[in-house]
Amino acid sequence: MRTSTSTGIWLPIFAGLCASLVSIGLARFAYTPLIPSLIEAQWFSANDVVYLGAANLVGYLIGALLGRPTARQLGNKNALRLMMLVVTAAFFACAFPLSVSWFFGWRLLSGIAGGAIMVLVAATVLPHVPAARKGLASGAIFLGIGLGIAGSGTLVPPLLSLGLQATWLGLGALALLLTALSWFGWPSDFPHPQVAHEKAPVETTPRGVYLLFAQYAFMAAGLVPAMVFLVDYVARGLGAGAHVGALIWVMYGLGAIVGPVSYGFLADQLGARSGIRLVLVVQAIALGLLAMSHSFVALALLAVILGSFPPGIVPLALARVHELVPEHHRQQIAWSRATVSFATFQALAGFAYSALFNASGGHHALLFVIAAGAIVVALLLEQAMKWLPVPIEPHGCAN
């Protein structure tokens, strides 16, 4: 495996951080604090605004499926550069609300780019990092998601004072800057495995991998309501106003900054399997409390806990893949499939929650309770797996 010098290691990691910041941290999460303003400015109806948020989640699924095929055609480095340009173009395009379909299309494209980047970024950067630093590198790459969330909470309010169009243009300018800064930071591509290698005898997949796919899917379903509706819940649902909603989103962003590092620490100290259990318990409790909390202090504390979840589970799940699957190429395949599983349930949940939100007349608490239920299901799946027959697994794979 190729490694870089101590200085050279951080250039690819920085590029990866920029990619996750632009494609997920900003492209997805900056939309959340914009929801009340999009409705109040009458760019779109409340129903349309909610469904436009789900468009990014559908695109994420498509991108997760297209990421590896795109990289085979263009190379990982060029594919990542292209996807960052697509996200940047989407920000500028969204400054012009020509129609619902126009806006939906660009939100969809930004989601496609985000899904592709999530599949490719770790596989592109981590092979160049020494084994002893992979955990730190993984956390640093996905720290970009948390920085994007926090950045959206601090940048969007002052930009909104200049108008919605200026807000989208400002986000586009930031994305363009980060794309330019990361352009030459990507490492050289490794050759893709040859067909002969792909025809090697197929090893049995540990059942723990399938458990992870299922748990990751229900985690996705559990994180959507807070990710999409938290600001609207505080601003309109509780009547606290857009300013307080933005403050709560900043707290969510602080949690998102802490998440990748703290969850990675859990994986190192407890193992990824035990770390996932602990995180699921905490998240289920936090979502249940969110459904009945009204004080600013309680909401702020819960926002920090909930904000740690979306970016934090990424390095935790990736660490679990590395525990279960020893060989690099198979790790890439397993991670790609895990991302597709996550993206599928995230997209389905996005539309399901949007439909339920509209059908219930804007009942936020109901969504949070259902999300808590999804997290509980993810927690119980491991117990359910114990009742299934134990397959014969290859030597050396953890279960």
Side-chain angles (χ1 to χ4, degrees):
M1 179 178 294
R2 185 186 310 171
T3 59
S4 304
T5 64
S6 178
T7 303
I9 288 172
W10 295 104
L11 287 175
I13 291 174
F14 174 73
L17 183 150
C18 289
S20 66
L21 196 165
V22 169
S23 64
I24 306 294
L26 292 178
R28 179 185 300 167
F29 289 98
Y31 186 80
T32 301
L34 285 172
I35 288 177
S37 297
L38 287 168
I39 296 171
E40 291 168 7
Q42 298 182 346
W43 272 30
F44 307 104
S45 70
N47 289 356
D48 287 338
V49 166
V50 172
Y51 281 115
L52 287 169
N56 185 269
L57 305 183
V58 175
Y60 186 83
L61 169 59
I62 298 171
L65 292 168
L66 294 180
R68 292 181 70 242
T70 302
R72 280 195 293 269
Q73 296 296 318
L74 303 178
N76 286 29
K77 179 165 60 176
N78 289 332
L80 286 162
R81 287 171 171 171
L82 174 62
M83 294 304 158
M84 291 187 73
L85 288 174
V86 169
V87 176
T88 301
F91 278 125
F92 287 119
C94 286
F96 305 94
L98 303 182
S99 67
V100 172
S101 58
W102 166 270
F103 213 85
F104 184 95
W106 283 106
R107 292 293 298 159
L108 183 73
L109 281 174
S110 71
I112 290 172
I117 286 173
M118 188 58 68
V119 167
L120 297 175
V121 64
T124 303
V125 174
L126 292 184
H128 298 263
V129 177
R133 299 190 181 185
K134 284 188 185 295
L136 175 63
S138 179
I141 290 168
F142 297 113
L143 174 62
I145 301 175
L147 292 174
I149 296 171
S152 70
T154 53
L155 288 174
V156 168
L159 285 173
L160 279 173
S161 66
L162 303 176
L164 270 175
Q165 186 174 65
T167 301
W168 285 108
L169 292 174
L171 291 171
L174 177 58
L176 182 60
L177 174 63
L178 291 169
T179 300
L181 289 174
S182 66
W183 195 265
F184 297 106
W186 295 110
S188 301
D189 293 335
F190 283 130
H192 287 278
Q194 300 298 315
V195 175
H197 175 79
E198 293 176 353
K199 290 183 178 179
V202 178
E203 298 182 56
T204 304
T205 301
R207 68 173 183 169
V209 173
Y210 295 110
L211 170 62
L212 177 64
F213 292 168
Q215 286 185 309
Y216 209 33
F218 279 98
M219 290 181 208
L223 64 81
V224 168
M227 182 177 74
V228 176
F229 296 101
L230 180 59
V231 174
D232 194 53
Y233 171 58
V234 174
R236 295 196 308 134
L238 298 180
H243 177 68
V244 176
L247 290 177
I248 294 298
W249 190 247
V250 170
M251 300 306 293
Y252 187 94
L254 290 177
I257 291 174
V258 173
V261 178
S262 59
Y263 286 31
F265 178 78
L266 282 178
D268 289 339
Q269 298 300 312
L270 304 178
R273 185 179 186 180
S274 297
I276 288 172
R277 288 176 187 160
L278 177 60
V279 165
L280 290 176
V281 170
V282 172
Q283 289 296 316
I285 294 171
L287 282 165
L289 291 174
L290 182 63
M292 50 183 144
S293 297
H294 297 84
S295 74
F296 177 82
V297 173
L299 289 169
L301 177 60
L302 292 171
V304 171
I305 296 171
L306 293 168
S308 71
F309 193 55
I313 56 170
V314 180
L316 193 57
L318 186 58
R320 183 60 176 153
V321 167
H322 283 233
E323 284 181 354
L324 292 164
V325 182
E327 195 268 319
H328 175 66
H329 179 57
R330 291 181 65 215
Q331 287 172 355
Q332 285 186 277
I333 295 173
W335 178 241
S336 178
R337 291 173 179 171
T339 304
V340 170
S341 174
F342 182 94
T344 301
F345 268 64
Q346 186 176 240
L348 292 173
F351 280 105
Y353 284 123
S354 299
L356 182 60
F357 180 77
N358 291 328
S360 65
H363 198 312
H364 297 87
L366 175 62
L367 306 185
F368 300 140
V369 170
I370 294 173
I375 297 298
V376 170
V377 170
L379 187 62
L380 295 177
L381 280 173
E382 185 173 357
Q383 299 302 315
M385 286 288 287
K386 293 180 179 179
W387 296 94
L388 298 177
V390 180
I392 299 175
E393 297 178 355
H395 179 72
C397 288
N399 189 6

